[in-house]
Amino acid sequence: MEIRDNDKICIITPLSAKLDSRKISKIVSMVINEKRNVALDLTYVQDCAIEFIEELKKIANRDLSIFNIPSDIFVLFNIMNVDKSIKLYVSEQDFKENSRQLINRQFAIV
C-alpha cells in the first residue's frame, strides 16, 4: 500500500489486484484515523469483495473520495448507490481540483 500526503490531503493507493478483508480493514482504519481529506486511488485494483463496498458505506460520513476506478467496480458503485455518499472522480487531478465529480443521475424516460 502506498500513501502520499501533504498538509491538506492523503491519497492511499492499494497495490494489490484484489482487495480482501485484511486489506479492507487496514484501509478503513487508516481512513478513520485521518483528519485530512482522504482519497483512494484504485489504479491497480481489478477486483474487490462486497465487504469493501459495505465498509465504504459505513465510513461515508468521513470526507472520502475515490478516483481511477476500474469499470467493473464503477458499475458496482452505481448499482449500490455509493456515489450518493462518497465522491467519485475520474482522475487524481479532478480530485485535487474538486471538479468533474462522477454522479449517476438515473434518468428515466416518462
Side-chain angles (χ1 to χ4, degrees):
M1 188 173 318
E2 178 185 1
I3 300 171
R4 294 178 285 145
D5 59 352
N6 61 23
D7 57 342
K8 294 183 181 180
I9 61 171
C10 177
I11 299 174
I12 301 170
T13 306
L15 299 176
S16 62
K18 182 174 171 101
L19 292 177
D20 58 7
S21 59
R22 186 176 63 93
K23 291 179 183 98
I24 293 166
S25 63
K26 191 173 183 180
I27 290 171
V28 168
S29 67
M30 291 174 74
V31 169
I32 290 173
N33 294 328
E34 190 61 49
K35 305 266 188 277
R36 300 169 286 183
N37 292 343
V38 179
L40 293 177
D41 179 3
L42 300 182
T43 302
Y44 302 109
V45 178
Q46 297 174 358
D47 189 23
C48 66
I50 192 71
E51 291 87 14
F52 175 65
I53 298 173
E54 294 298 327
E55 290 296 321
L56 285 178
K57 285 184 169 185
K58 289 180 185 175
I59 61 171
N61 58 350
R62 300 275 306 151
D63 196 5
L64 179 65
S65 302
I66 302 174
F67 59 89
N68 290 335
I69 308 164
S71 60
D72 298 342
I73 298 174
F74 182 66
V75 169
L76 290 174
F77 284 173
N78 283 334
I79 291 171
M80 298 187 74
N81 293 323
V82 172
D83 62 322
K84 306 299 183 230
S85 56
I86 296 174
K87 295 178 182 175
L88 305 178
Y89 297 99
V90 174
S91 66
E92 182 175 349
Q93 183 178 358
D94 291 345
F95 163 68
K96 288 181 178 177
E97 294 173 359
N98 195 18
S99 64
R100 297 180 291 276
Q101 184 177 345
L102 298 171
I103 299 173
N104 184 8
R105 301 268 187 213
Q106 298 181 350
F107 290 118
I109 297 176
V110 181

